[in-house]
């Protein structure tokens, strides 16, 4: 069996790390609104892959997450006069209603970001200790950014070079990042927003860190297959690779779909 690997740009024979066992992670939805046809396409594709791998005799552990804290979720809650977790809960229910109608099976593990804050804090703390991330003071609390310059292979999935990436980046006047490409691992608390306690004060996780923390929690530091929509290759998957491999010192995923 061959798989087209986005990382290498070619079809490769599929050889999992452990004979007959496959760990697969697919990025799920951010639950601030109803699903659209693109969400349905992605869900069906990975459902078919999951079913086919099992049909071929592999023992598959399939993880697909819910992003249940995010700027868009907070904004929707503020607009509708409700709480962020009420918004997330509502649209998780709506997601399942749609997927059940399409016949898409549940993943083996469907973690929510907010249930894994401690896992994310551990990864971020390791990155700081290894010199790959740094905190910046923002009011009474701190944000933490990943230092892209410390990861030499940044851009290897999307095939983007750093010069072209820098040229299109906007920098806010109050942005304290050392490099415009650095991305948030942890966001300092803003008034009226949900927050969790951390070594950097009150805040909440950035978007990218959740998938690294949850995939490592359930599938180990190197997974067989990582999947998602093509729109996630950059920056989401590129950032996942950087923070995961900088943390563990190991390849994050063998095949990218």
């Amino acid at each position: 069996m061959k798989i087209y690997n986005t990382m290498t740009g070619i079809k490769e024979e599929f050889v999992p790390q452990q004979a007959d066992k496959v760990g697969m992670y697919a990025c799920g939805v951010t639950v601030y609104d109803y699903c659209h046809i693109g969400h349905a396409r992605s869900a069906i594709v990975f459902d078919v892959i999951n079913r086919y791998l099992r049909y071929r005799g592999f023992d598959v552990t399939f993880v697909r997450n819910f992003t249940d804290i995010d700027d868009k979720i907070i904004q929707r809650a503020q607009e509708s006069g409700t709480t962020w977790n009420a918004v997330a809960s509502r649209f998780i229910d709506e997601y399942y209603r749609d997927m059940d109608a399409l016949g898409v099976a549940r993943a083996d593990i469907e973690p929510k970001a907010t249930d894994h804050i401690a896992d994310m804090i551990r990864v971020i703390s390791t990155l700081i200790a290894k010199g790959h991330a740094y905190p910046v003071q923002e009011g009474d609390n701190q944000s933490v950014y990943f230092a892209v310059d410390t990861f030499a292979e940044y851009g290897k999935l999307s095939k983007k070079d750093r010069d072209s990436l820098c040229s299109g980046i906007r920098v806010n006047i109050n942005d304290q990042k050392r490099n415009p490409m650095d991305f948030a691992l942890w966001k300092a608390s803003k008034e009226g927003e949900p927050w969790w306690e951390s070594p950097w004060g009150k805040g909440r996780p950035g978007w990218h860190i959740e998938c690294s923390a949850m995939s490592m929690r359930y599938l180990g530091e190197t997974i067989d297959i990582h999947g998602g929509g093509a729109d996630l290759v950059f920056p989401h998957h590129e950032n996942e690779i950087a923070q995961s491999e900088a943390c563990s010192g190991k390849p994050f995923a063998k095949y990218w779909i």
Side-chain angles (χ1 to χ4, degrees):
M1 184 169 69
K2 292 188 175 182
I3 289 180
Y4 179 84
N5 188 350
T6 303
M7 178 67 78
T8 59
I10 59 173
K11 286 184 180 179
E12 300 178 3
E13 183 181 358
F14 179 62
V15 182
Q17 300 173 89
Q18 299 181 55
D20 302 327
K21 287 185 178 292
V22 176
M24 181 167 71
Y25 187 99
C27 289
V29 293
T30 302
V31 283
Y32 70 97
D33 207 342
Y34 296 101
C35 289
H36 55 62
I37 198 71
H39 296 135
R41 181 190 183 282
S42 178
I44 290 169
V45 164
F46 288 103
D47 187 45
V48 170
I49 292 170
N50 180 32
R51 290 172 188 265
Y52 184 70
L53 289 169
R54 293 172 193 269
Y55 163 75
R56 288 292 299 267
F58 291 105
D59 177 9
V60 181
T61 302
F62 179 31
V63 181
R64 182 175 53 217
N65 71 301
F66 287 109
T67 299
D68 64 338
I69 188 65
D70 175 83
D71 291 342
K72 293 176 180 177
I73 294 171
I74 294 169
Q75 182 180 348
R76 177 58 62 92
Q78 292 170 343
E79 290 170 352
S80 56
T82 186
T83 61
W84 65 271
N85 45 342
V87 170
S89 178
R90 174 190 172 190
F91 288 113
I92 287 173
D93 290 343
E94 293 291 349
Y95 171 86
Y96 281 133
R97 193 191 316 275
D98 289 337
M99 294 306 114
D100 289 349
L102 290 168
V104 172
R106 300 285 200 273
D108 297 299
I109 304 169
E110 298 189 329
K112 294 188 291 186
T114 57
D115 288 338
H116 295 80
I117 300 294
D119 296 305
M120 295 183 230
I121 288 173
R122 278 193 292 272
V123 175
I124 296 169
S125 297
T126 299
L127 289 169
I128 293 173
K130 289 188 171 185
H132 291 291
Y134 58 93
V136 297
Q137 197 68 36
E138 295 188 15
D140 295 332
N141 303 291
Q142 293 179 313
S143 291
V144 181
Y145 291 96
F146 184 86
V148 169
D149 281 344
T150 68
F151 188 72
E153 294 182 292
Y154 191 80
K156 65 180 177 178
L157 181 68
S158 60
K159 312 301 186 285
K160 295 178 182 290
D161 65 83
R162 299 191 191 194
D163 292 339
S164 65
L165 291 173
C166 267
S167 64
I169 292 176
R170 291 178 60 187
V171 181
N172 295 325
I173 195 70
N174 60 348
D175 208 331
Q176 299 184 64
K177 292 190 290 186
R178 296 174 184 172
N179 183 312
M181 287 192 299
D182 294 351
F183 56 89
L185 301 170
W186 187 262
K187 297 182 177 182
S189 176
K190 295 180 181 177
E191 188 175 353
E193 290 187 352
W195 53 267
W196 288 262
E197 288 288 359
S198 79
W200 316 286
K202 297 176 180 178
R204 60 186 173 91
W207 173 33
H208 313 294
I209 193 65
E210 64 178 271
C211 289
S212 291
M214 291 189 287
S215 64
M216 287 193 280
R217 163 78 179 270
Y218 293 109
L219 298 172
E221 293 176 326
T222 302
I223 58 181
D224 293 302
I225 296 173
H226 195 308
D231 58 314
L232 298 180
V233 171
F234 187 85
H236 184 52
H237 289 163
E238 199 72 74
N239 291 351
E240 272 190 76
I241 291 169
Q243 63 200 12
S244 300
E245 296 187 359
C247 177
S248 71
K250 302 174 184 177
F252 181 42
K254 192 171 182 184
Y255 302 91
W256 287 86
I257 303 180

